Amino acid sequence: MSWNKADAQVGVIGLGSMGAGIARCLLRGGWNVHIYARKPEVAAAFAEAGAKGHTSPESLGRACDVVVLSLPDAAAVESVLFGPSALTEGMKSGGCVIDTSTIAANSAQEFAERLATHQIRFLDAPVSGGQAGAEAGTLAAMVGGLAEDVDACRDLLAAFCKTLTHVGAVGAGQTVKACNQVAVAGAMLGLADALALARAQGVDPTIMREVLLQGSARSFPMEKHAPRIIEQSFDPGFRAHLMRKDLRLALETANASGAALAGAPVVEALLDQMCEHGRGDWDWCGVAMEVGKTAGRDS
Amino acid sequence: MSWNKADAQVGVIGLGSMGAGIARCLLRGGWNVHIYARKPEVAAAFAEAGAKGHTSPESLGRACDVVVLSLPDAAAVESVLFGPSALTEGMKSGGCVIDTSTIAANSAQEFAERLATHQIRFLDAPVSGGQAGAEAGTLAAMVGGLAEDVDACRDLLAAFCKTLTHVGAVGAGQTVKACNQVAVAGAMLGLADALALARAQGVDPTIMREVLLQGSARSFPMEKHAPRIIEQSFDPGFRAHLMRKDLRLALETANASGAALAGAPVVEALLDQMCEHGRGDWDWCGVAMEVGKTAGRDS
């Protein structure tokens, strides 16, 4: 069986830049949307758009079949699921929680196990595509969970996702999101090195980029971020302190499973440096400015 | 003025996998080709194809207007240019040396200065595209030197290059090649981390790759190298010990100009590890197998 927009009651908790976009996509798509918002002005705006407001996760849970979370970290997810006036106190057995937050894979697994004791299903569905993708409904979701639960939520996820890939069991969605973040971090590190070398040697970085885009050094950061770095235009985008959070999660997951990563710790350290110098709200591609500043390599 | 195939006598020195392909492109293109080959069988094969053989760089230099070098390192270039029976002892003033070898930018600058005392012009023109590109005449050249010298050699370079970008003064070609190698090394490092994380977490690396190719983590290594790493198929390609050589050159150049790179030293160390364990003749993408082996991160 699959949730459909005629019958299903869908909750959204976490109405920040991502969650608000997701809730608006669901409303536009004709779903019955419930929200829990602490800020009265947020609640009022969504009430006007047709969402039913609730004063606690418990109350929202009582009304809903499926609940989408978009929260900053695992502590916030845990509080909504199991804290005071929790979702689990209200939600019926057979319901489903879809967590679009970026948290550790083992947190996702732990939450899934605890929800199972309430007969509540769980999918980890971290997304990429940013605020613009959430508003436009063009996010890419990496989904971990049981195939039957993924299938049941497919139509609902399609309201805010362009692509949805079932990547494995619960936690696998978070792992693939973490893989994405370490992979793009590495490509950014390569770009940062190339820009530092060109600068130090007095070669025009724009010409360098044009040549490199034609060959084996092409990458998304080379294509999209390099012009911003060359112009030193660091309006976010995706903020440096959030990328640092994502890399820390990836490193914790890697460590917990006995894998030593090689590039991500270097980028994490550079992001630390950025945040310490008050540039944590810059777009994370500003990390390239941390490379090449001093001759410090031991040979 | 520009060298043309009707009049110009063109020498090629260094008939390894790259240089042999370049010489064959020139012959196919109808240029008058001269070679210097120490191995009789190589000399014989090229003589049959229409090239004029010489017994020393000096003799070749006496006969040629332009000489293309394709040599393993700066020491080999120096020996051909200035060693016993050197090119410079034979070559007329006004001639031009085009060095397609990958060497340090400051070596290129030094050779250019020394050649200038003989009134011989110099372009550094490192190439990318590999052996297949050399055979097919589809290399990409990054050329440093005077604009008038680049223009004079444009038709000749077009015999073996699909694209030719004039990137700056002498040495700039080598710098851009070095930028390419550090940029692709970073992207490979990100890919290696992502694969190590997926492996450690039991996520299918092929599914992970498919998801990542759709978003911000896409890169040439993600597209072209990931399938080979997943299948552990490491036939070269571009050998690990050659990539190590290129990264060392890039790091020396960066150090000499006071820039500390962040990602390239990590990849260099992993390539060292590969070479020390007898895997220097694997394709360099095997470097991904060096990542994630042990939990060794200090937190």
Side-chain angles (χ1 to χ4, degrees):
Chain A
M1 72 135 255
S2 167
W3 313 111
N4 66 70
K5 65 180 78 174
D7 309 319
Q9 303 297 315
V10 182
V12 181
I13 296 180
L15 297 164
S17 57
M18 297 299 290
I22 289 171
R24 280 191 282 266
C25 284
L26 287 164
L27 284 164
R28 272 206 310 276
W31 293 79
N32 303 303
V33 176
H34 299 249
I35 61 148
Y36 159 63
R38 269 170 300 194
K39 291 184 188 160
E41 68 274 21
V42 173
F46 275 98
E48 201 171 316
K52 171 106 177 58
H54 294 268
T55 55
S56 72
E58 180 184 2
S59 159
L60 180 143
R62 192 162 291 121
C64 291
D65 303 298
V66 188
V67 179
V68 179
L69 307 183
S70 175
L71 294 162
D73 54 34
V77 175
E78 181 167 34
S79 171
V80 162
L81 293 179
F82 309 108
S85 303
L87 200 60
T88 45
E89 292 175 36
M91 238 177 139
K92 295 178 284 286
S93 71
C96 185
V97 170
I98 304 174
D99 184 18
T100 68
S101 321
T102 295
I103 62 173
N106 59 5
S107 302
Q109 286 153 355
E110 181 205 318
F111 297 150
E113 284 166 23
R114 291 169 69 184
L115 286 168
T117 67
H118 299 264
Q119 281 81 50
I120 296 171
R121 300 182 266 173
F122 181 85
L123 297 176
D124 57 314
V127 291
S128 70
Q131 190 176 344
E135 288 298 336
T138 57
L139 295 171
M142 299 145 244
V143 188
L146 293 179
E148 60 183 270
D149 296 341
V150 175
D151 287 340
C153 295
R154 219 171 264 278
D155 290 349
L156 194 161
L157 284 161
F160 55 92
C161 294
K162 190 176 59 177
T163 63
L164 177 171
T165 312
H166 182 206
V167 295
V170 167
Q174 296 296 349
T175 295
V176 171
K177 177 75 189 278
C179 288
N180 189 85
Q181 301 305 67
V182 300
V184 69
M188 182 65 82
L189 193 57
L191 170 59
D193 275 5
L195 288 169
L197 187 53
R199 271 197 306 270
Q201 290 283 102
V203 167
D204 184 333
T206 299
I207 293 176
M208 181 274 284
R209 171 181 171 271
E210 279 164 19
V211 175
L212 267 54
L213 274 180
Q214 296 168 31
S216 61
R218 68 171 182 263
S219 68
F220 182 92
M222 185 66 73
E223 192 186 334
K224 303 290 186 193
H225 291 123
R228 302 185 58 189
I229 300 166
I230 292 168
E231 290 166 18
Q232 304 200 21
S233 153
F234 298 119
D235 293 339
F238 187 60
R239 292 172 200 273
H241 70 89
L242 293 173
M243 186 61 178
R244 178 169 67 158
K245 188 203 88 170
D246 284 5
L247 285 186
R248 284 183 176 170
L249 280 176
L251 287 163
E252 282 164 23
T253 300
N255 280 348
S257 51
L261 304 189
V266 177
V267 182
E268 185 201 24
L270 293 168
L271 288 166
D272 281 346
Q273 207 167 294
M274 245 183 114
C275 291
E276 279 160 23
H277 289 88
R279 299 188 284 269
D281 281 322
W282 286 18
D283 189 85
W284 82 282
C285 72
V287 75
M289 303 304 291
E290 304 295 322
V291 172
K293 282 175 173 174
T294 52
R297 184 175 168 262
D298 303 320
S299 57
Chain B
M1 74 134 257
S2 166
W3 313 111
N4 66 71
K5 66 180 77 172
D7 310 318
Q9 302 297 317
V10 182
V12 181
I13 297 181
L15 297 164
S17 57
M18 297 298 292
I22 289 171
R24 280 191 283 266
C25 284
L26 287 163
L27 285 164
R28 272 205 310 275
W31 294 79
N32 304 302
V33 176
H34 299 249
I35 60 148
Y36 159 62
R38 269 168 300 193
K39 291 183 189 162
E41 67 274 21
V42 173
F46 275 98
E48 203 171 313
K52 169 107 178 58
H54 293 270
T55 55
S56 71
E58 180 183 1
S59 159
L60 180 143
R62 191 163 292 122
C64 290
D65 304 298
V66 188
V67 179
V68 179
L69 307 183
S70 175
L71 294 162
D73 53 35
V77 174
E78 181 168 34
S79 171
V80 162
L81 293 178
F82 309 108
S85 303
L87 200 59
T88 46
E89 291 175 37
M91 239 177 137
K92 294 179 285 285
S93 70
C96 185
V97 171
I98 304 173
D99 184 18
T100 68
S101 321
T102 295
I103 62 173
N106 59 5
S107 301
Q109 287 153 354
E110 182 206 317
F111 296 150
E113 284 167 23
R114 291 168 69 184
L115 285 168
T117 66
H118 299 264
Q119 281 83 49
I120 296 170
R121 300 182 265 174
F122 182 84
L123 298 176
D124 58 313
V127 291
S128 71
Q131 190 175 347
E135 287 298 336
T138 58
L139 295 171
M142 299 145 242
V143 188
L146 293 178
E148 60 183 271
D149 296 341
V150 176
D151 287 338
C153 294
R154 219 170 264 279
D155 290 349
L156 193 160
L157 284 162
F160 55 92
C161 295
K162 190 176 60 177
T163 63
L164 177 172
T165 312
H166 182 206
V167 294
V170 166
Q174 296 295 349
T175 295
V176 172
K177 177 78 189 276
C179 289
N180 189 85
Q181 302 305 66
V182 300
V184 69
M188 181 65 82
L189 193 56
L191 170 59
D193 275 5
L195 288 169
L197 186 53
R199 271 197 308 271
Q201 290 284 102
V203 166
D204 184 333
T206 299
I207 293 176
M208 182 275 284
R209 170 180 171 271
E210 280 164 17
V211 174
L212 267 54
L213 274 180
Q214 296 168 31
S216 61
R218 69 171 181 262
S219 67
F220 183 92
M222 185 66 73
E223 190 185 334
K224 303 291 186 193
H225 291 122
R228 303 185 57 189
I229 300 166
I230 293 168
E231 291 166 18
Q232 303 198 22
S233 153
F234 299 120
D235 292 339
F238 187 60
R239 292 171 200 274
H241 70 89
L242 293 173
M243 186 60 178
R244 178 169 69 158
K245 188 205 87 170
D246 285 5
L247 286 186
R248 284 182 175 170
L249 280 176
L251 287 163
E252 281 164 24
T253 300
N255 281 349
S257 51
L261 303 189
V266 177
V267 182
E268 186 201 24
L270 293 167
L271 288 166
D272 280 346
Q273 207 168 294
M274 247 185 112
C275 293
E276 278 159 23
H277 289 88
R279 299 188 284 269
D281 279 323
W282 287 18
D283 190 86
W284 82 282
C285 72
V287 75
M289 303 304 291
E290 304 294 323
V291 173
K293 281 176 173 174
T294 52
R297 185 173 168 263
D298 304 320
S299 57

